[in-house]
């Protein structure tokens, strides 16, 4: 049973466009929601993260939108660039269990020049 | 340089031959984890540790063992590997729960 559901599986966006990746969860104990970026042959790297006390967090061209009542969160990449082409994973973690993490299945983003 | 290292990076072995994948971090982090990454399944947590001698099962612990005798090291042990453990494995560490996890470069394991 997938604890964090991620969509779409793949995404193709034109350079300068907006990329949007969505995630949904059921476990209300989750209180930390990071997004990771992974390039081929590399380990995932933290991109941006949010906690449920805020509805939005922005870092440069990357924004997380968080809807606590709907149990959904999404990553928006503004002005998408070819260098953003990578696989993106959302994740969720509950603070009451130490160090458990549940990841989405990943979204392969391709930004066309 | 702050980093998580894993060895070996690539390993081909046969069913039933015990193996260990090492993981080491130089950031004095309390928390460490092992994940496996499979196409279409994302990353799944195998085991995690909150400190020395404190480990717990993640989502897919069957067929794996871990130990945390030193803060910097967190080896993953496959006592009797099977072909369904063919995967890409990542070790990660963080200073606290809810803080940035730093991932290693990955170990690609093939079990024949």
């Amino acid at each position: 049973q997938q604890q964090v559901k991620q969509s779409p599986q793949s995404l193709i966006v034109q350079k300068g466009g907006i990329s949007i990746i969505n995630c949904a969860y059921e476990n209300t104990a989750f209180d930390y929601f990071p997004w990771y970026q992974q390039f081929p042959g590399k380990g995932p790297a933290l991109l941006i993260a949010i906690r449920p006390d805020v509805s939005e967090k922005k870092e440069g061209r990357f924004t997380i939108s968080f809807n606590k009542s709907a149990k959904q969160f999404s990553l928006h990449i503004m002005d998408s660039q070819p260098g953003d082409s990578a696989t993106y994973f959302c994740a969720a973690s509950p603070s009451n269990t130490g160090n458990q993490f549940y990841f989405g299945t990943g979204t392969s983003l391709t930004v066309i020049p | 340089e702050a980093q998580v290292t894993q060895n070996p990076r690539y390993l081909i072995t046969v069913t039933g031959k015990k193996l260990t994948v090492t993981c080491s971090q130089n950031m004095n982090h309390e928390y460490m984890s092992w994940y496996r990454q499979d196409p279409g399944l994302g990353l799944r947590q195998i085991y995690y540790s909150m400190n020395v001698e404190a480990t717990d099962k993640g989502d897919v612990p069957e067929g794996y063992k871990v130990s945390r005798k030193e803060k910097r090291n967190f080896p993953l042990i496959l006592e009797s590997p099977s072909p369904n453990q063919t995967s890409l494995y990542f070790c990660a560490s963080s200073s606290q729960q809810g803080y940035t996890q730093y991932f290693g470069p990955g170990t690609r394991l093939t079990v024949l």
Side-chain angles (χ1 to χ4, degrees):
Chain A
Q1 180 189 354
Q2 194 75 27
Q3 294 258 3
V4 179
K5 295 191 169 88
Q6 182 172 348
S7 63
Q9 186 175 342
S10 62
L11 183 61
I12 300 174
V13 173
Q14 293 277 356
K15 178 182 174 182
I18 302 173
S19 304
I20 302 175
I21 305 170
N22 301 299
C23 285
Y25 65 97
E26 287 297 324
N27 188 344
T28 54
F30 290 154
D31 60 0
Y32 175 64
F33 302 90
W35 283 89
Y36 286 85
Q37 181 187 55
Q38 184 181 30
F39 293 105
K42 302 289 187 185
L46 181 69
L47 191 61
I48 186 172
I50 198 168
R51 294 188 183 275
D53 52 344
V54 296
S55 60
E56 186 175 282
K57 183 173 181 180
K58 185 175 180 179
E59 289 184 4
R61 296 184 293 109
F62 301 92
T63 299
I64 299 179
S65 297
F66 185 81
N67 186 328
K68 189 174 181 179
S69 60
K71 296 201 276 291
Q72 294 175 349
F73 58 110
S74 59
L75 175 69
H76 296 235
I77 305 174
M78 312 299 287
D79 187 27
S80 299
Q81 299 296 313
D84 296 331
S85 296
T87 299
Y88 293 81
F89 293 97
C90 61
S93 177
S95 60
N96 61 352
T97 58
N99 196 29
Q100 275 187 311
F101 275 86
Y102 297 93
F103 280 75
T105 50
T107 296
S108 177
L109 171 66
T110 302
V111 181
I112 300 170
Chain B
E1 180 191 353
Q3 60 183 350
V4 178
T5 57
Q6 296 178 226
N7 282 293
R9 295 290 314 279
Y10 302 90
L11 179 59
I12 300 174
T13 189
V14 295
T15 299
K17 187 177 181 182
K18 180 179 178 179
L19 66 92
T20 299
V21 184
T22 64
C23 172
S24 183
Q25 50 93 4
N26 63 0
M27 295 170 278
N28 200 38
H29 284 168
E30 305 280 345
Y31 291 80
M32 298 186 75
S33 288
W34 274 104
Y35 296 89
R36 59 178 290 172
Q37 183 175 6
D38 302 288
L41 295 177
L43 289 109
R44 293 179 292 167
Q45 194 173 37
I46 303 170
Y47 269 95
Y48 60 92
S49 170
M50 289 77 73
N51 211 328
V52 174
E53 303 292 1
T55 63
D56 210 342
K57 296 177 181 178
D59 222 15
V60 288
E62 295 78 20
Y64 304 94
K65 283 175 57 176
V66 294
S67 69
R68 186 96 182 269
K69 293 184 169 53
E70 304 168 281
K71 196 172 186 179
R72 63 182 293 129
N73 296 322
F74 191 43
L76 179 70
I77 303 156
L78 285 72
E79 295 265 359
S80 182
S82 63
N84 65 11
Q85 292 178 298
T86 292
S87 187
L88 179 58
Y89 290 87
F90 287 101
C91 180
S93 74
S94 63
S95 57
Q96 300 179 45
Q97 188 276 342
Y99 283 71
T100 303
Q101 276 195 108
Y102 295 88
F103 281 78
T107 295
R108 186 165 291 282
L109 172 65
T110 301
V111 183
L112 302 174

